[in-house]
Amino acid sequence: MTDRMDVDVLIVGGGLVGAASALYLAKRGVKALVIERGYCGAQASGVNYGGVRCQGRTKEQMPLALRARRIWNGLPELIGIDGEFTVSGHLRLGRNEADLDALAAWAKMAESFGLSASIIDGAPFRARYPWLSRAVIGGSLCPSDGHANPRLVSPAFARAAVSAGAMVLEQTELTEIAFDGNHFHAQAGVHRVRAKWCINAAGAWANQLAETFGEKTPLEPMYPNMWVTEPLPRFIPHNLGIYGGGFYARQVDRGNCVLGGGMARGDDRFAQPSDDVTLSVMREAQTIIPALKQALVIRSWSGLDGKTPDRNPVIGPSRTTPRLLHAFGFSGGGFMLAPGVGEILAELVCDGETETPIDAFSIDRFAA
């Protein structure tokens, strides 16, 4: 049997971007259908590190990041839970004077967008963060940043979308899609779907859909490696990052330290954490946070995301196909941005435009 469905918007991918798009569309009375070949929020959206930060974003991303960050303040009203969202501040550490100069330059740029970040070094830095070693000499603190639990947030957006009137089909794979000049026609499981619009929010697999419409991008898979320790006495007040890379860390209310760094391994569907990478990066983390030397790692994991050459996502209209919108390639930084992206996509469908500048994320920047 084939079930025929007529909808306004077909959304391919039930991650945080797809679910947020469905939620905002449903709130505006648009009939939206999400198809997800696994479970909503079970891929990169639900297994990422959980950082909610504006600090370190590219200049092009700042308007989008600030818009998305405002949405996080109203999470309980939007999706029914707070998702363990904590405004902890984000402290980005520097190992030398050159790092601090770069952090100061970023803070100056951020200030032009109305975002405050301050440089702390010298004696005030040592007094405020005695648990950090001499391997770092200072850092930039963005107090409005924080972190949340992606395992709670991502599925909650899908549930909220359904409550608002959207349809969600899990364990349903897209096997065919075409555009006849007026409608998209898709086969998803036993469902034959006709839609006026299509949103490509398929994450690491979105390039396959884009290629169907002649818009292949240089998207590469990435497998962020993450782990969590046993509960420890609370001592890390902020979400931490290192300028130039290395590792990132935060501590939850229960005392567990969540860390990430390096890349795991995987294929085109799954990722698997690497014990060697975990041990190597954990040793590096201990040189900066000595209290981690006796910490027991109790679990490690990874996820699959798509990375673009410039680390900026692809967001906006197709250049080959009317009423096709892309939103993918977040390069490991999409968790915080996703609610804002969903709101923007709903605006593009309903209003034909958005006030948030997204030209830098156009898919045609990769055109040959």
Side-chain angles (χ1 to χ4, degrees):
M1 291 182 62
T2 298
D3 178 24
R4 298 190 178 275
M5 305 177 72
D6 255 310
V7 297
D8 297 318
V9 183
L10 169 64
I11 301 169
V12 183
L16 195 47
V17 170
S21 301
L23 173 57
Y24 284 111
L25 286 166
K27 289 168 76 71
R28 297 187 64 165
V30 176
K31 190 175 182 181
L33 168 66
V34 177
I35 58 170
E36 165 56 48
R37 70 177 180 178
Y39 292 98
C40 289
Q43 293 291 345
S45 293
V47 298
N48 61 81
Y49 166 72
V52 179
R53 59 164 183 84
C54 291
Q55 179 156 223
R57 300 281 175 181
T58 63
K59 186 176 182 179
E60 296 86 0
Q61 289 186 23
M62 288 301 293
L64 170 58
L66 292 170
R67 175 176 185 162
R69 175 62 186 83
R70 289 191 290 270
I71 294 174
W72 284 87
N73 290 333
L75 217 57
E77 294 77 20
L78 184 63
I79 63 172
I81 63 169
D82 65 8
E84 297 181 2
F85 174 48
T86 302
V87 182
S88 61
H90 182 268
L91 180 63
R92 199 174 188 199
L93 301 169
R95 297 181 176 92
N96 50 53
E97 293 294 341
D99 289 352
L100 294 187
D101 289 344
L103 290 171
W106 185 91
K108 184 176 181 181
M109 180 274 291
E111 186 178 12
S112 69
F113 290 94
L115 181 67
S116 174
S118 56
I119 302 299
I120 310 171
D121 60 0
F125 179 78
R126 294 293 165 209
R128 188 166 179 175
Y129 306 113
W131 45 272
L132 287 169
S133 77
R134 299 272 172 174
V136 290
I137 66 169
S140 169
L141 178 63
C142 185
S144 59
D145 286 346
H147 53 82
N149 187 338
R151 294 297 295 159
L152 299 178
V153 172
S154 298
F157 264 89
R159 292 194 300 270
V162 171
S163 296
M167 294 178 288
V168 174
L169 296 176
E170 295 181 308
Q171 293 188 289
T172 302
E173 188 160 4
L174 178 74
T175 53
E176 296 177 27
I177 189 166
F179 182 68
D180 67 4
N182 293 305
H183 292 88
F184 292 90
H185 298 271
Q187 187 71 42
V190 299
H191 307 281
R192 191 66 184 173
V193 182
R194 186 176 76 160
K196 298 174 185 175
W197 289 78
C198 179
I199 292 177
N200 176 15
W205 302 274
N207 208 24
Q208 298 172 23
L209 181 55
E211 188 174 7
T212 299
F213 295 101
E215 295 185 296
K216 185 176 181 178
T217 64
L219 193 72
E220 295 182 1
M222 60 181 296
Y223 313 96
N225 198 75
M226 291 158 282
W227 60 98
V228 63
T229 74
E230 63 184 325
L232 302 173
R234 290 298 304 273
F235 70 101
I236 303 178
H238 307 305
N239 181 6
L240 300 179
I242 310 289
Y243 181 80
F247 73 94
Y248 35 94
R250 60 185 177 91
Q251 191 171 22
V252 301
D253 287 342
R254 294 178 294 276
N256 307 77
C257 294
V258 182
L259 298 97
M263 288 293 146
R265 54 186 178 270
D267 54 29
D268 63 349
R269 291 205 66 158
F270 300 105
Q272 183 176 357
S274 166
D275 291 344
D276 291 341
V277 172
T278 298
L279 290 171
S280 175
V281 181
M282 188 63 167
R283 292 190 187 100
E284 179 184 355
Q286 291 168 355
T287 67
I288 293 176
I289 308 175
L292 293 175
K293 288 183 178 179
Q294 305 303 318
L296 178 66
V297 173
I298 60 174
R299 184 168 64 91
S300 61
W301 69 95
S302 182
L304 173 57
D305 200 356
K307 177 179 65 175
T308 64
D310 59 9
R311 292 298 183 104
N312 278 327
V314 173
I315 304 172
S318 163
R319 298 309 187 212
T320 65
T321 309
R323 300 196 297 279
L324 170 63
L325 301 176
H326 297 295
F328 64 90
F330 289 90
S331 306
F335 181 61
M336 194 274 281
L337 298 178
V341 175
E343 192 173 39
I344 286 170
L345 294 172
E347 289 176 349
L348 292 175
V349 170
C350 297
D351 306 327
E353 60 182 1
T354 178
E355 291 184 357
T356 302
I358 58 172
D359 288 347
F361 312 134
S362 169
I363 195 168
D364 64 2
R365 73 185 190 271
F366 298 122

